[in-house]
């Protein structure tokens, strides 16, 4: 999404200063913030399951009903399969809420993947954002606040890319013909969507994703959006699994090579 496009917010690390962005600083509370926590009951032992967190945003501006949270609730109903422990959260459209809540999600759950979902009033497709940006946050949130530095994380790089190749995810989902068009963007908009994405990319070393959805019925229903989120996130998990398998194979190969060299040197 291009900067200036209308999108449904979230909140970003309010206390962060500019320069790239390092660490998560605290900030004052400008208003009471509530985070709706919804998690499916655990059945048996979940220790071997992949932990995935998916967030959507609450109301803001003219969006009395935020399609991002509606879509995430539909995803919760559908699930991501028996091998995935799915945890969903509703995020306030407030920078300081994002600053406090996102680090706690990473620390508490130690997830394999965190996916944030937001609404864009100009979107007509489900849009996968490839990267998050550190600077340029000047638009006020639901508390009439924006970071004084207009930055997400002090000493952080200007831009962080997801470890996931969104073009690959996009192609695979579109080829599966789920009835929902998917596209890729490199500009999440410099509002709470971009802010929460950069924060998670920074904290999760790139193991995060952001998905923009259109408003409801423009053109997709909540069921369509939930189905699209399910397909997209499952492909993301497939890519992460492939990368992990290739990394393990490389480590084994490298170990064998060094072991052989060591034996050869002592012959």
């Amino acid at each position: 999404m291009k900067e200036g496009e209308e999108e449904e917010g979230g909140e970003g690390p309010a206390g962060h200063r500019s320069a790239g962005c390092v660490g998560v600083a605290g900030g004052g509370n400008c208003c009471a913030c509530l985070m709706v926590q919804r998690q499916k009951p655990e059945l048996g032992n979940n220790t071997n399951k992949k932990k995935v967190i998916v967030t959507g945003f609450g109301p803001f501006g003219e969006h009395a009903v935020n399609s991002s949270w509606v879509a995430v609730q539909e995803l919760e109903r559908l699930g991501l399969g028996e091998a995935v422990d799915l945890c969903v959260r509703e995020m306030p459209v407030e920078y300081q809420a994002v600053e406090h809540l996102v680090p706690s999600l990473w620390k508490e759950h130690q997830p394999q993947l965190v996916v944030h979902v937001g609404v864009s009033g100009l979107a007509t497709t489900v849009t996968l954002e490839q990267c998050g940006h550190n600077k340029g946050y000047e638009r006020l949130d639901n508390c009439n606040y924006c970071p004084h530095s207009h930055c997400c994380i002090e000493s952080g790089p200007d831009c962080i890319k997801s470890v996931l190749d969104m073009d690959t995810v996009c192609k695979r989902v579109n080829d599966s013909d789920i009835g929902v068009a998917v596209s890729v963007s490199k500009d999440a908009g410099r509002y709470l969507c971009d802010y929460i994405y950069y924060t998670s990319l920074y904290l999760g070393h790139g193991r995060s994703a952001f998905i923009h959805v259109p408003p409801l019925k423009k053109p997709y229903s909540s069921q369509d959006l939930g189905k699209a989120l399910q397909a997209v996130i499952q492909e993301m998990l497939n890519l992460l699994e492939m990368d992990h398998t290739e990394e393990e194979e490389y480590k084994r190969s490298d170990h064998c090579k060094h072991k052989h060299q060591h034996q050869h040197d002592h012959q």
Side-chain angles (χ1 to χ4, degrees):
M1 319 299 320
K2 298 298 182 185
E3 183 171 358
E5 287 184 358
E6 180 183 347
E7 60 179 27
E8 195 137 21
E11 185 154 311
H16 297 185
R17 301 293 178 262
S18 231
C21 287
V22 152
V24 177
N29 295 321
C30 67
C31 61
C33 301
L34 295 178
M35 177 175 69
V36 176
Q37 299 189 4
R38 301 169 60 88
Q39 186 170 5
K40 292 187 176 181
E42 295 185 2
L43 301 177
N45 188 352
N46 284 340
T47 55
N48 293 325
K49 290 189 174 185
K50 299 174 184 175
K51 186 75 172 185
V52 175
I53 295 173
V54 182
T55 74
F57 282 116
F60 79 104
E62 65 182 26
H63 298 278
V65 176
N66 193 319
S67 62
S68 69
W69 178 234
V70 173
V72 171
Q73 289 175 295
E74 182 64 22
L75 170 67
E76 181 187 30
R77 186 184 69 81
L78 295 172
L80 291 170
E82 292 300 319
V84 177
D85 183 14
L86 172 63
C87 178
V88 307
R89 296 286 188 271
E90 181 181 15
M91 302 294 294
V93 181
E94 302 165 11
Y95 291 104
Q96 289 176 321
V98 168
E99 175 189 356
H100 294 297
L101 298 176
V102 172
S104 68
L105 288 176
W106 279 98
K107 183 177 181 180
E108 177 185 352
H109 297 284
Q110 299 292 307
Q112 278 75 28
L113 178 66
V114 173
V115 179
H116 302 292
V117 185
V119 65
S120 169
L122 299 181
T124 57
T125 66
V126 169
T127 308
L128 314 182
E129 300 292 346
Q130 183 63 67
C131 52
H133 301 87
N134 191 26
K135 301 176 182 178
Y137 297 97
E138 300 180 359
R139 184 177 170 186
L140 298 178
D141 64 14
N142 279 357
C143 293
N144 292 317
Y145 174 88
C146 73
H148 300 301
S149 64
H150 307 301
C151 172
C152 185
I153 300 177
E154 187 175 348
S155 300
D158 287 343
C159 178
I160 302 177
K161 292 181 64 176
S162 173
V163 297
L164 293 159
D165 185 341
M166 298 304 175
D167 287 322
T168 298
V169 175
C170 179
K171 183 179 186 307
R172 290 182 178 181
V173 175
N174 283 333
D175 287 348
S176 68
D177 195 22
I178 61 171
V180 177
V182 180
S183 62
V184 177
S185 164
K186 294 182 179 179
D187 189 345
R190 303 307 202 288
Y191 191 43
L192 281 154
C193 292
D194 214 344
Y195 197 81
I196 197 171
Y197 191 23
Y198 184 94
T199 302
S200 261
L201 288 169
Y202 183 85
L203 295 173
H205 306 287
R207 287 183 297 108
S208 185
F210 192 94
I211 304 172
H212 266 120
V213 297
L216 292 175
K217 304 296 185 181
K218 295 183 179 181
Y220 300 115
S221 68
S222 59
Q223 291 78 15
D224 292 331
L225 294 178
K227 180 173 63 175
L229 291 184
Q230 181 188 53
V232 166
I233 295 172
Q234 285 175 337
E235 286 297 345
M236 290 176 175
L237 290 172
N238 289 340
L239 276 185
L240 287 177
E241 184 64 30
M242 288 175 57
D243 290 344
H244 177 72
T245 301
E246 290 175 359
E247 182 180 355
E248 289 301 313
E249 289 178 352
Y250 174 80
K251 287 180 179 178
R252 285 196 296 270
S253 173
D254 195 50
H255 174 74
C256 291
K257 181 174 69 175
H258 284 300
K259 182 177 180 181
H260 177 76
Q261 183 64 43
H262 177 76
Q263 292 174 340
H264 178 76
D265 292 343
H266 288 80
Q267 285 178 352

